[in-house]
């Protein structure tokens, strides 16, 4: 299936003794995660019953030849007891569970499900099979008497078996796997455009066997990693090295297989346990130009120039707006890029799928990525010119800055705009358009000269009162203009973020620029947190509300009060790039990012930012997205930047123009 269409809500085991207990694998076991090899994105998850009764060891791979997820499972009775094992599958096909139907296919011994409502022009079906044939099975509706888990919980046995759920709804499928004291088997979850296709995938994968798929999967990843050496900054440390390799592989894995170059922001729905899954809730399964730039620069530095170039080509061939196009409550003009889009791009997308509103840094980053990947041919130049002209006419103020919440003049957005225009000027000259090149450079120069007057306050409430604001509504950073946020109304001169560091990372200001260094103490005092183990992380900005409720720990979409944005590990990476530009070490920032990872060395969007509470641990992942592709890219890029002794993303043409460190 496409990377922008999530299809599974839940897939786990249920264990019972048939009389006294029913355990959900997720809740009744302790979990350990391991990688059988660092050279493949393969995981083994070992779940041991808290009661000590049993253990489940699950190894996950995808079949490289088919649309099948394979899980090799070993079930062990640890106390000599006889147990029943069930697999519980809650499909959420075509991005939502509101229209799923399911049945038992006796001829193939498979639990099949489908959603006949097309999403992005196609339908999705699944087929769940076991190498040990299911001895009992049922398909019903979640939370009702036909729900197999509800049936099990009532009397510890699968008493009622339903062969079909033919009316669209939120279905649940369950199958009993016959096991003894120590049993190993393989589950196959196949996908297709219809049930027949899904069954064919699952059957073929099981017929070939788990060992064959695992061998092919591992060799494919090992081949991909060949010629992409691990940087010295991480090679000698297991955690740092694994986080790097997982980062490179996860960025590769998140590229859509139908539309090459389209890499989603994350294969996750942040706070998915609080999201209504009845309809398409694509979470981060969308493509943001900003995130694609971050990913592309990381892949380019890591040695995958081909994927980076595909990303740039996808932006210009599929996501650029070339004629007035309706978004979600806005119209996007020619030359702009939407807030986000499906992996297929803007063609055929609905206004909701393009979002609201335009963010000029995304327009600019598309130009920078084209320049960095050598995409400077005449055909691409004609598209770049449309966007560069749009930036000149529409900037520097943006309808939305990089956190997608406020309009105005943002240091981070203007930094991207300046870099984009300088790169556009170079591409223009390569194509003989010296007049456009002159316009772009003079505009970039003017915005650079004016930026501090627009966004550097000298009357702020923090520190010595002198620092960059997060965003300015007009051009007076010393006035008392107030912005209303979820936690109250605040003068914008007292809202601080680290976006000004982009001026250095993009080569527009040297690290030693007085206003940059003057802003660091306020940034650190207002937005940083230090964990008990010494890792330092930063918030997006003070007064951020994009996070769990401080009242009860519920996730952001739940709508509960006192929502607080937590710390973002990728901001530690951005700070690390600045430290390198300033001639200092960034090793501590790299380690902080790695320490934020989960048990699979995948990096989250946010980590808990205070003493342990609501089941969260200070400095460890919250309920936000993991892995976040932007975070993975930032880690990979920082590791390579440490080896290079400078930020590898800095466009040399920008640094050369403004005297930044190339």
């Amino acid at each position: 299936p496409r990377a922008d269409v999530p299809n599974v809500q839940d897939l786990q085991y249920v264990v019972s003794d048939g009389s006294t207990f029913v355990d959900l694998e997720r809740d009744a076991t302790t979990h350990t995660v391991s990688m059988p090899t660092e050279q493949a994105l393969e995981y083994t998850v070992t779940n041991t019953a808290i009661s000590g009764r049993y253990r489940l060891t699950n190894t996950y791979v995808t079949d490289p030849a088919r649309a099948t997820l394979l899980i090799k499972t070993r079930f062990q009775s640890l106390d000599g007891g006889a147990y029943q094992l069930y697999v519980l599958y809650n499909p959420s096909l075509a991005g939502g569970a509101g229209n799923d139907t399911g049945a038992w296919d006796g001829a193939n011994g498979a639990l099949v499900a489908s959603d006949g409502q097309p999403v992005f022009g196609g339908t999705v079906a699944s087929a769940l099979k076991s190498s040990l044939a299911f001895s009992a099975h049922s398909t019903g509706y979640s939370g009702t008497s036909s729900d197999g888990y509800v049936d099990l919980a009532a009397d510890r046995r699968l008493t009622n078996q339903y062969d079909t759920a033919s009316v669209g709804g939120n279905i649940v499928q369950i199958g009993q796997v016959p096991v003894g004291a120590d049993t190993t088997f393989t589950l196959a979850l196949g996908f297709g455009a219809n049930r027949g296709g899904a069954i064919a995938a699952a059957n073929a994968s099981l017929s070939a066997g788990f060992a064959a798929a695992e061998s092919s999967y591992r060799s494919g990843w090992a081949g991909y990693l060949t010629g992409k050496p691990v940087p010295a900054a991480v090679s000698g440390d297991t955690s740092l090295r694994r986080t790097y390799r997982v980062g490179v592989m996860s960025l590769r894995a998140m590229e859509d297989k139908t539309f090459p170059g389209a890499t989603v922001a994350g294969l996750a729905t942040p706070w998915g346990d609080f999201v209504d899954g009845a309809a398409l809730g694509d979470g981060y399964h969308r493509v943001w130009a900003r995130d694609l730039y971050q990913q592309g620069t990381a892949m380019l530095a890591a040695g995958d120039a081909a994927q980076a170039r595909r990303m740039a080509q996808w932006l210009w061939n599929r996501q650029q707006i070339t004629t007035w196009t309706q978004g979600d409550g806005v119209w996007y003009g020619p030359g702009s890029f939407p807030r986000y889009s499906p992996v297929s791009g803007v063609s055929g997308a609905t206004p909701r799928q393009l979002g609201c509103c335009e963010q000029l840094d995304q327009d600019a980053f598309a130009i920078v990525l084209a320049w960095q990947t050598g995409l400077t041919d005449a055909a691409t130049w004609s598209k770049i010119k449309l966007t560069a002209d749009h930036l000149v006419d529409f900037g520097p103020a943006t309808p939305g800055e990089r956190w997608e919440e406020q309009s105005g003049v943002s240091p981070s957005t203007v930094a991207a705009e300046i870099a984009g225009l300088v790169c556009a000027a170079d591409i223009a000259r390569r194509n003989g358009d010296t007049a456009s090149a002159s316009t772009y450079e003079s505009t970039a120069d003017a915005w650079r000269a004016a930026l501090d007057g627009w966004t550097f306050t000298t009357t702020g409430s923090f520190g010595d009162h002198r620092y960059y604001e997060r965003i300015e509504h007009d051009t007076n950073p010393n006035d008392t203009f107030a912005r209303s946020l979820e936690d109250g109304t605040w003068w914008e001169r007292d809202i601080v973020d680290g976006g000004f560091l982009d001026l250095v990372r993009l080569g527009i200001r040297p690290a030693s620029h007085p206003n940059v260094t003057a802003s660091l103490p306020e940034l650190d005092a207002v937005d940083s947190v230090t964990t008990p183990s010494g890792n330092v992380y930063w918030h997006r900005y003070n007064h951020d509300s994009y996070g769990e409720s401080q009242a009860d720990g519920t996730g952001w979409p739940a709508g509960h009060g006192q929502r607080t944005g937590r710390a973002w590990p990728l901001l530690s990476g951005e700070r690390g790039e600045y430290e390198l530009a300033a001639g200092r070490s960034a090793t501590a920032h790299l380690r902080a990012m790695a320490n934020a990872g989960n048990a699979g060395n995948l990096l989250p969007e946010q980590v808990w930012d205070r003493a342990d509470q609501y089941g969260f641990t200070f400095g460890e992942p919250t309920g936000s997205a993991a892995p976040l592709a932007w975070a993975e890219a930032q880690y990979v890029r920082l590791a390579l930047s440490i080896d290079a002794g400078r930020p590898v993303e800095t466009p040399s043409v920008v640094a050369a123009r403004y005297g930044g460190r190339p």
Side-chain angles (χ1 to χ4, degrees), residues 269-634:
T269 299
W271 300 287
D273 45 349
F274 294 99
V275 174
D276 181 359
L280 176 64
D282 39 6
Y284 285 172
H285 300 73
R286 307 162 176 160
V287 187
W288 276 260
R290 177 190 308 105
D291 293 57
L292 207 60
Y293 162 82
Q294 303 290 344
Q295 298 158 11
T297 52
M299 297 306 271
L300 185 63
D304 193 343
Q307 181 167 342
R309 190 176 178 88
R310 288 195 301 271
M311 291 170 164
Q313 290 170 327
W314 182 90
L315 284 170
W316 293 105
N317 294 336
R318 290 195 172 272
Q319 199 179 53
Q320 184 192 34
I321 301 285
T322 58
T323 185
W324 282 99
T325 301
Q326 187 175 1
D328 192 2
V330 299
W331 283 86
Y332 292 110
S336 64
F337 283 76
R339 179 186 180 189
Y340 43 60
S341 79
V343 296
S344 50
V346 299
S347 178
T350 67
R352 189 191 72 82
Q353 290 162 357
L354 300 181
C356 168
C357 301
E358 184 180 1
Q359 299 155 37
L360 295 184
D361 65 330
Q362 300 206 114
D363 301 351
F365 277 139
I367 299 174
V368 178
L369 188 60
W371 184 89
Q372 289 170 320
T373 56
L375 203 61
T376 60
D377 59 279
T380 305
W381 158 237
S382 67
K383 300 174 184 179
I384 290 173
K385 185 178 188 306
L386 184 65
T387 294
D389 288 345
H390 174 70
L391 284 175
V392 170
D393 294 339
F394 201 50
T398 179
E401 39 69 74
R402 70 173 182 163
W403 302 130
E404 305 191 301
E405 298 168 354
Q406 298 286 329
S407 62
V409 182
S410 154
S412 64
T413 298
V414 176
E417 291 172 327
I418 293 170
L421 289 175
V422 173
C423 288
D426 187 63
I427 298 171
R429 282 202 177 87
R430 296 178 189 220
N431 285 272
D433 190 344
T434 57
S436 291
S438 178
T439 297
Y440 302 154
E441 288 173 341
S442 63
T443 302
D445 293 348
W447 290 355
R448 177 178 179 268
L451 177 63
D452 289 4
W454 294 335
T455 63
F456 186 83
T457 184
T458 57
T459 60
S461 297
F462 304 115
D464 67 357
H465 317 297
R466 302 176 65 257
Y467 49 84
Y468 284 106
E469 301 173 303
R470 173 194 171 198
I471 196 162
E472 168 60 37
H473 76 289
D474 55 18
T475 57
N476 182 4
N478 293 316
D479 62 17
T480 55
F481 182 82
R483 290 184 181 261
S484 294
L485 303 175
E486 188 170 296
D487 67 343
T489 300
W490 310 91
W491 291 342
E492 61 185 0
R493 69 189 188 190
D494 291 339
I495 305 174
V496 179
D497 82 343
F500 66 90
L501 296 177
D502 279 1
L503 294 165
V504 177
R505 292 179 17 251
L506 291 173
I508 297 157
R509 295 280 194 221
S512 59
H513 188 275
N515 288 349
V516 171
T517 58
S519 300
L520 295 174
E522 287 77 15
L523 171 64
D524 294 344
V526 173
D527 287 336
S528 71
V529 294
T530 303
T531 69
S533 58
N535 296 309
V536 183
Y537 304 106
W538 281 262
H539 295 101
R540 298 194 302 175
Y541 58 91
N542 53 329
H543 309 299
D544 184 10
S545 63
Y546 186 55
E548 286 83 1
S549 166
Q550 193 50 48
D552 58 12
T554 53
W556 181 81
H560 295 195
Q562 301 181 44
R563 294 186 298 189
T564 300
R566 309 300 170 177
W568 287 54
L570 71 85
L571 297 178
S572 298
E574 289 190 352
R575 182 56 174 271
E577 287 192 10
Y578 169 79
E579 294 298 317
L580 287 174
R584 296 188 288 266
S585 171
T587 302
H589 302 83
L590 186 74
R591 184 167 293 281
M593 288 196 73
N595 289 347
N598 63 22
N601 299 104
L602 294 164
L603 298 178
E605 177 183 78
Q606 299 181 41
V607 294
W608 193 247
D609 62 346
R610 59 198 67 196
D612 301 358
Q613 193 177 17
Y614 304 127
F616 299 115
T617 301
F618 198 172
E620 295 187 7
T622 66
S624 59
L628 182 69
W630 184 353
E632 300 291 350
Q634 180 60 72

